[in-house]
Amino acid sequence: MADCLFCQIASGAIPADIVHQDDDVVAFRDIDPQAPHHVLVIPRRHIEAVRDATGPEGEQLVGRLMAAAAAIATDLGLDERGYRLVSNTGVDGGQSVFHLHVHILGGRPMKWPPG
Ligand code: 5GP
Ligand code: ZN
């Protein structure tokens, strides 16, 4: 999608601090980190949010995103202490970029409930 920020990061048109990429998934450090480790995991394919990842293909894509997030968290050394995965969805969810993404947040204790 030409005017989508994360599509442009996935294609390399806009630079980012990429920590992982493969045929389906790109992961890069958040520009405004909310924890010592804050990485965004996105599908290369433009999908607005998790609610749009429907059907067998959508399920497979969400599975790939979560598996990639877990593998990246391992690479970042977060397994022992743990981490949080978040996918903000829509206005009430606090989504600000409308291309599906999973936040990996780690390196400090997380609070609950979230704000
Ligand atoms: P959301 O609010 O949609 O859940 O998350 C979007 C995230 O994208 C935010 O945490 C924000 O800091 C991050 N972000 C926005 N613009 C850029 C950018 O140009 N580069 C990177 N690396 N992250 C961005
Ligand atoms: Zn996009």
Side-chain angles (χ1 to χ4, degrees):
M1 211 183 166
D3 60 350
C4 170
L5 174 63
F6 286 179
C7 281
Q8 289 175 282
I9 287 177
S11 73
I14 290 179
D17 184 358
I18 290 174
V19 299
H20 168 86
Q21 53 183 325
D22 60 42
D23 286 349
D24 302 317
V25 168
V26 181
F28 50 93
R29 292 197 177 275
D30 197 292
I31 204 167
D32 181 21
Q34 302 301 311
H37 291 289
H38 187 172
V39 170
L40 303 172
V41 187
I42 70 169
R44 286 192 185 276
R45 182 153 70 87
H46 182 90
I47 296 179
E48 186 171 306
V50 70
R51 64 180 169 221
D52 304 301
T54 54
E57 266 185 41
E59 284 185 18
Q60 193 178 22
L61 192 59
V62 170
R64 289 278 301 111
L65 277 190
M66 294 302 272
I72 292 161
T74 298
D75 290 346
L76 294 173
L78 298 176
D79 277 342
E80 189 182 338
R81 291 284 303 172
Y83 52 89
R84 183 171 290 175
L85 303 181
V86 178
S87 189
N88 298 326
T89 302
V91 174
D92 277 2
Q95 187 174 8
S96 61
V97 177
F98 293 91
H99 178 127
L100 173 61
H101 51 283
V102 175
H103 296 253
I104 305 170
L105 294 151
R108 66 166 172 83
M110 297 294 144
K111 295 193 175 89
W112 195 264

